[in-house]
Every structure is written in structure tokens, then in C-alpha cells.
Amino acid sequence: MASHPSSARDLLDRHAEALQLFTDRVNAVRDDQWSASTPCTEWSVRDLVTHLTSEQLWVPPLLTEGRTVAEVGDAFDGDVLGDDPVTVWDRAAAEARKAFAAPGALKRTVNLSYGDSAADAYCAQMVSDAVVHSWDLSRAIGADERLPEDLVEVGPYVKGLSQTGLFARPVKTEKGADPQTELLALLGRQV
């Protein structure tokens, strides 16, 4: 796999690209697909989009406002999508992108559910989450499952994600598997 983004600009570019990838998939969801199942065993398409939307909604209070997880509380629990999931996603993604792109934002420390973290590591986590869930959403709605090469090669941070308990256990791949298959397997996806 390629190395971790070499600069703040690289990381922000990957973050923007990952959000756009998921945005493209959200915009492709047909009205009759919101209740379809996904590779995330207990989530429907709507649940998956709710999860990623909620993740984006957390970014401004944690990063821009410097609030803690405890201070934000349950503000983004439950179905945050309302009657217009696409618009809610678009707005949340735009605000998260804006927060990470603000001058000096990636040098801050944020309080996450597992403790304090460097904001650039938080951003890298958000890239990885958006990439793998773009694949989940693609599979669920029958969209193109190929992921952009530069997003598949998100670097060493992904290995840490598999240890968080936030993803299914890693699955084995065949020797010589392509980078996308290896990434998805590391995060518990059967390809």
C-alpha cells in the first residue's frame, strides 16, 4: 500500500475525494432502495447513510468548536436524515469538509469516543470510513464497486481501524489479492 498522505493538502484532497465518492453513491440510491440490506450485517441503506451522516455532523462541534464527546452528547443519535436524506447528507459532508479544511484545523486535538486524538488522524479515519462505506453502499444498490486507487491506498491508519471493534473482524484473502480486496478484507468485508 502507498504511504500515508504526505501533506495536509494530500490528506484534505483524499478527504474531499472520499466524501465525493460517498456523495455519488448517496445520490444514486433509488427511492425503493433505502430499506435494502448492506454488507454491514444489521444496517439497511438508510442506516448506513445515517451512520456516515452522523459521523460528518460530529466534525464541526469537535473540530471547530473544540467540544468534547460528552458535551455534544446524543445530539446526533438516531435517524438524522429526516425526509430528505440526500440533502441532509450533502449538507453534513460539506460542513465536515469545511471544518477539516479550515486553517490550522489538522493541527488541533479532538476529543473522540476513545479519547483525545490528533485532528489529522481523525481526518484519516474519516477518509477510511467513507471509502469502505462507499463500497458497502455500492454493493447494496448495485453501483460500481471499484474504488479509486488513491483511496484504497489510505495507508497504515486502516490497520488500526480493524482493531477498534467498529468493523467486522478481518477476513483472509488469497495470496496476491489486489489492494482493494485486501483493504475490504482487513475491515471484515467478503468480496
Side-chain angles (χ1 to χ4, degrees):
M1 287 193 160
S3 63
H4 190 67
S6 60
S7 71
R9 176 72 329 198
D10 290 343
L11 181 56
L12 291 174
D13 288 348
R14 285 189 179 171
H15 180 251
E17 185 179 1
L19 288 178
Q20 187 59 54
L21 181 66
F22 196 78
T23 295
D24 292 345
R25 298 312 186 264
V26 170
N27 281 278
V29 177
R30 296 187 319 259
D31 289 343
D32 65 336
Q33 292 179 312
W34 288 99
S35 61
S37 61
T38 71
C40 302
T41 54
E42 297 178 10
W43 284 350
S44 67
V45 166
R46 185 176 180 94
D47 296 332
L48 176 62
V49 175
T50 294
H51 163 71
L52 217 55
T53 302
S54 177
E55 290 292 317
Q56 305 317 305
L57 291 170
W58 276 93
V59 176
L62 296 178
L63 187 61
T64 306
E65 300 168 21
R67 294 168 63 191
T68 66
V69 169
E71 290 168 341
V72 176
D74 61 2
F76 306 120
D77 288 357
D79 184 348
V80 297
L81 297 178
D83 294 333
D84 191 355
V86 175
T87 299
V88 174
W89 161 258
D90 287 345
R91 189 175 308 122
E95 290 300 314
R97 183 174 176 199
K98 180 180 171 184
F100 278 119
L106 292 179
K107 294 179 181 174
R108 297 180 188 147
T109 299
V110 293
N111 177 260
L112 303 176
S113 59
Y114 51 83
D116 288 345
S117 174
D120 61 346
Y122 178 39
C123 187
Q125 173 189 343
M126 297 294 277
V127 170
S128 301
D129 204 36
V131 170
V132 74
H133 287 317
S134 291
W135 180 85
D136 293 331
L137 188 52
S138 295
R139 175 148 291 187
I141 66 171
D144 183 358
E145 295 178 13
R146 285 174 293 153
L147 299 170
E149 187 176 316
D150 61 325
L151 290 178
V152 169
E153 297 177 352
V154 292
Y157 185 76
V158 171
K159 290 183 181 7
L161 284 180
S162 66
Q163 307 302 318
T164 65
L166 299 174
F167 292 91
R169 300 183 104 177
V171 296
K172 293 188 184 218
T173 60
E174 292 184 25
K175 186 175 182 177
D178 64 90
Q180 178 172 319
T181 300
E182 288 180 8
L183 169 71
L184 294 169
L186 186 62
L187 297 175
R189 273 44 177 195
Q190 294 280 358
V191 181

